Each structure stands twice: as C-alpha cells, then as structure tokens.
Amino acid sequence: MPTQRFTFPGHDGQQLAARFDMPDGPHLATALFAHCFTCSKDIPAARRIAARLASMGIAVLRFDFTGLGHSEGEFENTNFTTNVQDLVAAGAELARRNMAPSLMIGHSLGGAAVLKAAAEMDNIKAVVTLGAPFDPEHVTHNFADSLPQIIRDGVAEVSLGGRPFRISNDFLEDVAKGQLTPAIANLNAALLVLHAPRDETVSIDNASEIFLAAKHPKSFITLDDADHLLTRAEDAEYAADVIATWATRYIDLARPAPPIGIPEGVLRVSEGDPNGFLQDVQSGPHHVLADEPAAYGGTNKGLTPYGFLSAGLGACTSMTIRMYARRKGWPLDHVSVDVTHDKVHGQDAETQSKSKIDSFVRTITLRGDLDDVQRARLLEIADRCPVHQTLERSNHIDTKLA
C-alpha cells in the first residue's frame, strides 16, 4: 500500500508526525487511528489494521501524539485532554485535504480518547475501541509507585515499557476529570468494543462499562487470549478482519463503476505476511484470505491458490445447475458439488499428453423429486459451466509490471 508521511499542527501548534496509508485502488473512506499510552503510530497492531483497511479502500491516518515518537513537543506537558485535542486537529487536517474521517479506531488510552473526540467531530459514523479503559485515570496504575512523588514534586520520571517518561501532576488531575460516560452516552456513531478477557493491563470490566454506557448500534467482541498490545500477528489480524467487516455496515464504501470490458472490476491480491504466504484478496466489497498449509511454510488461514480454483469450478457448477433447473421448473431442492484436484499423468486422464496435467474431479449431489432423465440432463448441464469451459480451453495470461 502506498504511504504518505507528513506533519500537521497539533493542539498547541507543535508539528505532529503522521503516516497516511492509502489504498492501492480507489479511495472510498478515511479512518483515524489513535495509539496507546506512550506508544507510537508504528505499533504492530496499528500497522496490521491500517493495511487491512487500506486493502478495502479505506485510507488510515496514524500519528504520534505530542511529545511521542517523531512528533514535536514535551510529553511532560501533555495529558488526556491534549490527546483528544490532537485527534480533533488530525481530523481537521484530513478535512482540509478533502478526506474527512468517518471511522475512528483507538487502542488502550487512545480508545478512551477517540470516544471523547468523536463527540466533537460530526462526520464520524463509526468508532472502534481496542482494550480501552472506561476511566482514563486507570492509566495511572502503570506508575502507581511514583504517584506520591508526582503529587509532592509536581513531576517525576517513571519507566514505562523500559523507557523513561516525565509525568506531571497536571496529567494526574486531568485524567481524574476525564469522565467518559457523557461522551459515550451521546456518541452519534456506531460503536464496536474489542477487548481480551485476559488483558492484564486493562481488565475486560472496562469494556463492559463502555458497552453498557453506549446506545445502539453497538457491538462487543472478545479477543480471546490476546494480550493488551496484540503483539501476536494472528491476534492483530483477527482484530483487523473484525473491524474491516463491521465497518462496512456503517460506512459508505460505494465503489466507482468497473472499467469498460471488465464487468467484475479488478481483483487485487496483496501480501498480508511477508514472512509467510498469507494474502489479502479483495474484490469490490468482498474480502477473503489465501494461504498455504503450515507444512508448506504457510499459516493455513485461507484457501490455497488451487483451493480457490477448485472453489470457482464448484461454485460455477452449482450455479449453472440451479439456473437450468429453475428455468425448467424442476423440483431441485438442493445441489452440492465436491471438487478434488490432483496432478496426474496425461495418459491416466485419457489424453494424448505424456506429461502431468491438472485433474479436477466433481461429485455432484442433487436432492429433490427428480426422475432419472432430469438427473442425467443436469449432469450434462454441469459441463456447460463457464469456469469448466474456461479450464478446458487454452488460455492466455498477459503479465506486466505496474
């Protein structure tokens, strides 16, 4: 996916470093992602979610809050309110570029921030929280031993994730006042709450409180045994898939008309995991995964390429039979097609070829009050399936660099 890097002014004019992940194809919508407390825009979960949404045509803006990552400013002078203000500033920057966001996603304290910020942004149609606290003050448990010193001296250096940060008493006072109930209750957008039951950083009770405080439409999905940062690739991928699928119900993703001569549009396959074989397959609003079995170096999260080929043959066969039976008015109650694929010697397949060829075997099951003549005719009709005919014909594939 193409990426744009730029800066924009945050809540106090300091330049914030942003990364804008754009779709390879048409830009259909825009999302804004808020990272977790003291994290950055480049955490693995953010990268995976951005890649998945971009494959659907949704551009994603990620940025470092003031004083973090590559953004200007001093973290010591920021608080929960300034994070919210930075998000509003990011939304304004996207609007200035004619790409106003309609989806907001927040991780941990960033999830609390998007709930607060969404109430101030009229164009937001959907909000997603990942491991978010119901009470922003919850974040202080990360440096509980330093609270007396912060209150006494006004500021103290604490270690978070192995890195030093200076936390001020102003931060403590601000998060103590950061009540989310009014913002959640008045949220004029659909809400998706994602949380792991075993999250040891922010307990799942927080997700329950967020969900109960919100009005419908709202959804609550658990992330099973994922950790708070979704450090495992499979957990981040699952969250990304859930968000992408859920968002389509609330965000208008109307696609432009397909090019002339290409009625089904362009099917795009994008690499999902450079360390394996996982692929994101996007065709219009439809998304599936392609992969290889673990025995062949894959992660077995989707059909193999030959599996898709077999699926195409099976689906086309079933559709062709149904269409013919419907037109004839025959009592076909149900049709199923089992397809197997193998490489066999041409002579075994009764061809003139001496080399190996691809062999597909279809086993068709027809249910209904059909007589023998009708069943035989439907078996003949199966061979008229367009995909069947395509596979049996000589084909031409033109390959070129973009």
Side-chain angles (χ1 to χ4, degrees), residues 313 316 362 381-395:
L313 175 61
C316 185
R362 286 178 301 186
I381 291 300
D383 288 344
R384 296 188 185 179
C385 153
V387 172
H388 176 124
Q389 295 178 356
T390 296
L391 290 173
E392 285 197 328
R393 284 195 300 261
S394 295
N395 300 290

PDB file of all heavy atoms in Angstrom, residues 313 316 362 381-395:
ATOM      1  N   LEU A 313     -14.634 -23.599  -9.695  1.00  0.00           N
ATOM      2  CA  LEU A 313     -15.274 -24.638 -10.507  1.00  0.00           C
ATOM      3  C   LEU A 313     -16.529 -25.164  -9.818  1.00  0.00           C
ATOM      4  O   LEU A 313     -17.587 -25.316 -10.447  1.00  0.00           O
ATOM      5  CB  LEU A 313     -14.284 -25.775 -10.751  1.00  0.00           C
ATOM      6  CG  LEU A 313     -14.838 -26.994 -11.496  1.00  0.00           C
ATOM      7  CD1 LEU A 313     -15.328 -26.602 -12.889  1.00  0.00           C
ATOM      8  CD2 LEU A 313     -13.779 -28.096 -11.586  1.00  0.00           C
ATOM      9  N   CYS A 316     -19.362 -22.391  -9.725  1.00  0.00           N
ATOM     10  CA  CYS A 316     -19.943 -22.174 -11.054  1.00  0.00           C
ATOM     11  C   CYS A 316     -20.809 -23.361 -11.470  1.00  0.00           C
ATOM     12  O   CYS A 316     -21.881 -23.186 -12.065  1.00  0.00           O
ATOM     13  CB  CYS A 316     -18.827 -21.940 -12.058  1.00  0.00           C
ATOM     14  SG  CYS A 316     -19.409 -21.525 -13.715  1.00  0.00           S
ATOM     15  N   ARG A 362     -15.315 -33.777 -10.046  1.00  0.00           N
ATOM     16  CA  ARG A 362     -16.513 -33.215  -9.426  1.00  0.00           C
ATOM     17  C   ARG A 362     -17.472 -34.333  -9.053  1.00  0.00           C
ATOM     18  O   ARG A 362     -17.768 -35.199  -9.879  1.00  0.00           O
ATOM     19  CB  ARG A 362     -17.236 -32.256 -10.387  1.00  0.00           C
ATOM     20  CG  ARG A 362     -16.573 -30.936 -10.595  1.00  0.00           C
ATOM     21  CD  ARG A 362     -17.353 -30.095 -11.591  1.00  0.00           C
ATOM     22  NE  ARG A 362     -17.478 -30.759 -12.890  1.00  0.00           N
ATOM     23  CZ  ARG A 362     -18.011 -30.204 -13.965  1.00  0.00           C
ATOM     24  NH1 ARG A 362     -18.490 -28.978 -13.893  1.00  0.00           N
ATOM     25  NH2 ARG A 362     -18.081 -30.850 -15.094  1.00  0.00           N
ATOM     26  N   ILE A 381     -25.577 -30.617 -18.055  1.00  0.00           N
ATOM     27  CA  ILE A 381     -25.542 -29.155 -17.933  1.00  0.00           C
ATOM     28  C   ILE A 381     -24.326 -28.705 -17.118  1.00  0.00           C
ATOM     29  O   ILE A 381     -23.777 -27.624 -17.336  1.00  0.00           O
ATOM     30  CB  ILE A 381     -26.841 -28.644 -17.276  1.00  0.00           C
ATOM     31  CG1 ILE A 381     -28.017 -28.850 -18.231  1.00  0.00           C
ATOM     32  CG2 ILE A 381     -26.738 -27.186 -16.866  1.00  0.00           C
ATOM     33  CD1 ILE A 381     -27.861 -28.104 -19.554  1.00  0.00           C
ATOM     34  N   ALA A 382     -23.871 -29.550 -16.181  1.00  0.00           N
ATOM     35  CA  ALA A 382     -22.707 -29.190 -15.366  1.00  0.00           C
ATOM     36  C   ALA A 382     -21.501 -28.865 -16.234  1.00  0.00           C
ATOM     37  O   ALA A 382     -20.701 -27.980 -15.913  1.00  0.00           O
ATOM     38  CB  ALA A 382     -22.378 -30.326 -14.402  1.00  0.00           C
ATOM     39  N   ASP A 383     -21.379 -29.570 -17.388  1.00  0.00           N
ATOM     40  CA  ASP A 383     -20.238 -29.329 -18.267  1.00  0.00           C
ATOM     41  C   ASP A 383     -20.346 -28.005 -19.018  1.00  0.00           C
ATOM     42  O   ASP A 383     -19.383 -27.583 -19.660  1.00  0.00           O
ATOM     43  CB  ASP A 383     -20.098 -30.475 -19.271  1.00  0.00           C
ATOM     44  CG  ASP A 383     -19.589 -31.751 -18.606  1.00  0.00           C
ATOM     45  OD1 ASP A 383     -19.068 -31.642 -17.481  1.00  0.00           O
ATOM     46  OD2 ASP A 383     -19.708 -32.830 -19.218  1.00  0.00           O
ATOM     47  N   ARG A 384     -21.507 -27.366 -18.951  1.00  0.00           N
ATOM     48  CA  ARG A 384     -21.658 -26.052 -19.589  1.00  0.00           C
ATOM     49  C   ARG A 384     -21.269 -24.906 -18.655  1.00  0.00           C
ATOM     50  O   ARG A 384     -21.340 -23.740 -19.044  1.00  0.00           O
ATOM     51  CB  ARG A 384     -23.101 -25.862 -20.053  1.00  0.00           C
ATOM     52  CG  ARG A 384     -23.527 -26.842 -21.143  1.00  0.00           C
ATOM     53  CD  ARG A 384     -24.890 -26.466 -21.685  1.00  0.00           C
ATOM     54  NE  ARG A 384     -25.379 -27.436 -22.649  1.00  0.00           N
ATOM     55  CZ  ARG A 384     -26.563 -27.352 -23.259  1.00  0.00           C
ATOM     56  NH1 ARG A 384     -27.376 -26.325 -22.976  1.00  0.00           N
ATOM     57  NH2 ARG A 384     -26.942 -28.265 -24.132  1.00  0.00           N
ATOM     58  N   CYS A 385     -20.891 -25.246 -17.454  1.00  0.00           N
ATOM     59  CA  CYS A 385     -20.437 -24.222 -16.508  1.00  0.00           C
ATOM     60  C   CYS A 385     -19.299 -23.432 -17.148  1.00  0.00           C
ATOM     61  O   CYS A 385     -18.337 -24.005 -17.669  1.00  0.00           O
ATOM     62  CB  CYS A 385     -19.970 -24.923 -15.227  1.00  0.00           C
ATOM     63  SG  CYS A 385     -18.735 -24.045 -14.292  1.00  0.00           S
ATOM     64  N   PRO A 386     -19.392 -22.095 -17.182  1.00  0.00           N
ATOM     65  CA  PRO A 386     -18.358 -21.270 -17.830  1.00  0.00           C
ATOM     66  C   PRO A 386     -16.950 -21.513 -17.299  1.00  0.00           C
ATOM     67  O   PRO A 386     -15.986 -21.502 -18.066  1.00  0.00           O
ATOM     68  CB  PRO A 386     -18.828 -19.843 -17.544  1.00  0.00           C
ATOM     69  CG  PRO A 386     -20.312 -19.967 -17.407  1.00  0.00           C
ATOM     70  CD  PRO A 386     -20.540 -21.284 -16.738  1.00  0.00           C
ATOM     71  N   VAL A 387     -16.816 -21.718 -15.986  1.00  0.00           N
ATOM     72  CA  VAL A 387     -15.480 -21.968 -15.448  1.00  0.00           C
ATOM     73  C   VAL A 387     -14.948 -23.309 -15.949  1.00  0.00           C
ATOM     74  O   VAL A 387     -13.756 -23.432 -16.273  1.00  0.00           O
ATOM     75  CB  VAL A 387     -15.499 -21.915 -13.900  1.00  0.00           C
ATOM     76  CG1 VAL A 387     -14.158 -22.373 -13.325  1.00  0.00           C
ATOM     77  CG2 VAL A 387     -15.818 -20.511 -13.411  1.00  0.00           C
ATOM     78  N   HIS A 388     -15.815 -24.305 -16.022  1.00  0.00           N
ATOM     79  CA  HIS A 388     -15.435 -25.598 -16.589  1.00  0.00           C
ATOM     80  C   HIS A 388     -14.902 -25.414 -18.009  1.00  0.00           C
ATOM     81  O   HIS A 388     -13.841 -25.941 -18.361  1.00  0.00           O
ATOM     82  CB  HIS A 388     -16.668 -26.523 -16.595  1.00  0.00           C
ATOM     83  CG  HIS A 388     -16.443 -27.857 -17.241  1.00  0.00           C
ATOM     84  ND1 HIS A 388     -16.666 -29.044 -16.595  1.00  0.00           N
ATOM     85  CD2 HIS A 388     -16.024 -28.197 -18.493  1.00  0.00           C
ATOM     86  CE1 HIS A 388     -16.391 -30.054 -17.408  1.00  0.00           C
ATOM     87  NE2 HIS A 388     -16.010 -29.551 -18.579  1.00  0.00           N
ATOM     88  N   GLN A 389     -15.630 -24.658 -18.798  1.00  0.00           N
ATOM     89  CA  GLN A 389     -15.211 -24.441 -20.183  1.00  0.00           C
ATOM     90  C   GLN A 389     -13.910 -23.644 -20.252  1.00  0.00           C
ATOM     91  O   GLN A 389     -13.062 -23.899 -21.106  1.00  0.00           O
ATOM     92  CB  GLN A 389     -16.334 -23.731 -20.939  1.00  0.00           C
ATOM     93  CG  GLN A 389     -17.591 -24.584 -21.069  1.00  0.00           C
ATOM     94  CD  GLN A 389     -18.724 -23.863 -21.784  1.00  0.00           C
ATOM     95  OE1 GLN A 389     -18.605 -22.694 -22.121  1.00  0.00           O
ATOM     96  NE2 GLN A 389     -19.824 -24.565 -21.995  1.00  0.00           N
ATOM     97  N   THR A 390     -13.744 -22.681 -19.340  1.00  0.00           N
ATOM     98  CA  THR A 390     -12.505 -21.905 -19.307  1.00  0.00           C
ATOM     99  C   THR A 390     -11.314 -22.803 -18.986  1.00  0.00           C
ATOM    100  O   THR A 390     -10.252 -22.707 -19.613  1.00  0.00           O
ATOM    101  CB  THR A 390     -12.595 -20.786 -18.256  1.00  0.00           C
ATOM    102  OG1 THR A 390     -13.622 -19.871 -18.628  1.00  0.00           O
ATOM    103  CG2 THR A 390     -11.269 -20.035 -18.129  1.00  0.00           C
ATOM    104  N   LEU A 391     -11.481 -23.690 -18.012  1.00  0.00           N
ATOM    105  CA  LEU A 391     -10.389 -24.587 -17.633  1.00  0.00           C
ATOM    106  C   LEU A 391     -10.025 -25.562 -18.736  1.00  0.00           C
ATOM    107  O   LEU A 391      -8.860 -25.957 -18.869  1.00  0.00           O
ATOM    108  CB  LEU A 391     -10.762 -25.352 -16.356  1.00  0.00           C
ATOM    109  CG  LEU A 391     -10.816 -24.529 -15.069  1.00  0.00           C
ATOM    110  CD1 LEU A 391     -11.371 -25.371 -13.924  1.00  0.00           C
ATOM    111  CD2 LEU A 391      -9.439 -24.000 -14.710  1.00  0.00           C
ATOM    112  N   GLU A 392     -11.003 -25.978 -19.546  1.00  0.00           N
ATOM    113  CA  GLU A 392     -10.734 -26.957 -20.599  1.00  0.00           C
ATOM    114  C   GLU A 392     -10.157 -26.318 -21.854  1.00  0.00           C
ATOM    115  O   GLU A 392      -9.556 -27.005 -22.669  1.00  0.00           O
ATOM    116  CB  GLU A 392     -12.018 -27.716 -20.953  1.00  0.00           C
ATOM    117  CG  GLU A 392     -12.418 -28.748 -19.904  1.00  0.00           C
ATOM    118  CD  GLU A 392     -13.409 -29.754 -20.447  1.00  0.00           C
ATOM    119  OE1 GLU A 392     -14.224 -29.364 -21.312  1.00  0.00           O
ATOM    120  OE2 GLU A 392     -13.366 -30.920 -20.014  1.00  0.00           O
ATOM    121  N   ARG A 393     -10.347 -24.999 -21.993  1.00  0.00           N
ATOM    122  CA  ARG A 393      -9.820 -24.312 -23.175  1.00  0.00           C
ATOM    123  C   ARG A 393      -8.374 -23.904 -22.943  1.00  0.00           C
ATOM    124  O   ARG A 393      -7.892 -23.801 -21.803  1.00  0.00           O
ATOM    125  CB  ARG A 393     -10.643 -23.069 -23.484  1.00  0.00           C
ATOM    126  CG  ARG A 393     -11.985 -23.336 -24.124  1.00  0.00           C
ATOM    127  CD  ARG A 393     -12.557 -22.070 -24.731  1.00  0.00           C
ATOM    128  NE  ARG A 393     -12.740 -21.035 -23.720  1.00  0.00           N
ATOM    129  CZ  ARG A 393     -13.920 -20.771 -23.143  1.00  0.00           C
ATOM    130  NH1 ARG A 393     -14.972 -21.468 -23.454  1.00  0.00           N
ATOM    131  NH2 ARG A 393     -14.001 -19.808 -22.238  1.00  0.00           N
ATOM    132  N   SER A 394      -7.683 -23.616 -24.017  1.00  0.00           N
ATOM    133  CA  SER A 394      -6.359 -22.995 -23.904  1.00  0.00           C
ATOM    134  C   SER A 394      -6.578 -21.547 -23.486  1.00  0.00           C
ATOM    135  O   SER A 394      -7.464 -20.866 -24.004  1.00  0.00           O
ATOM    136  CB  SER A 394      -5.629 -23.049 -25.248  1.00  0.00           C
ATOM    137  OG  SER A 394      -5.369 -24.396 -25.604  1.00  0.00           O
ATOM    138  N   ASN A 395      -5.762 -21.068 -22.554  1.00  0.00           N
ATOM    139  CA  ASN A 395      -5.948 -19.746 -22.018  1.00  0.00           C
ATOM    140  C   ASN A 395      -4.714 -18.886 -22.266  1.00  0.00           C
ATOM    141  O   ASN A 395      -3.617 -19.388 -22.540  1.00  0.00           O
ATOM    142  CB  ASN A 395      -6.220 -19.806 -20.508  1.00  0.00           C
ATOM    143  CG  ASN A 395      -7.470 -20.607 -20.203  1.00  0.00           C
ATOM    144  OD1 ASN A 395      -8.560 -20.180 -20.498  1.00  0.00           O
ATOM    145  ND2 ASN A 395      -7.286 -21.779 -19.615  1.00  0.00           N
TER     146      ASN A 395
END
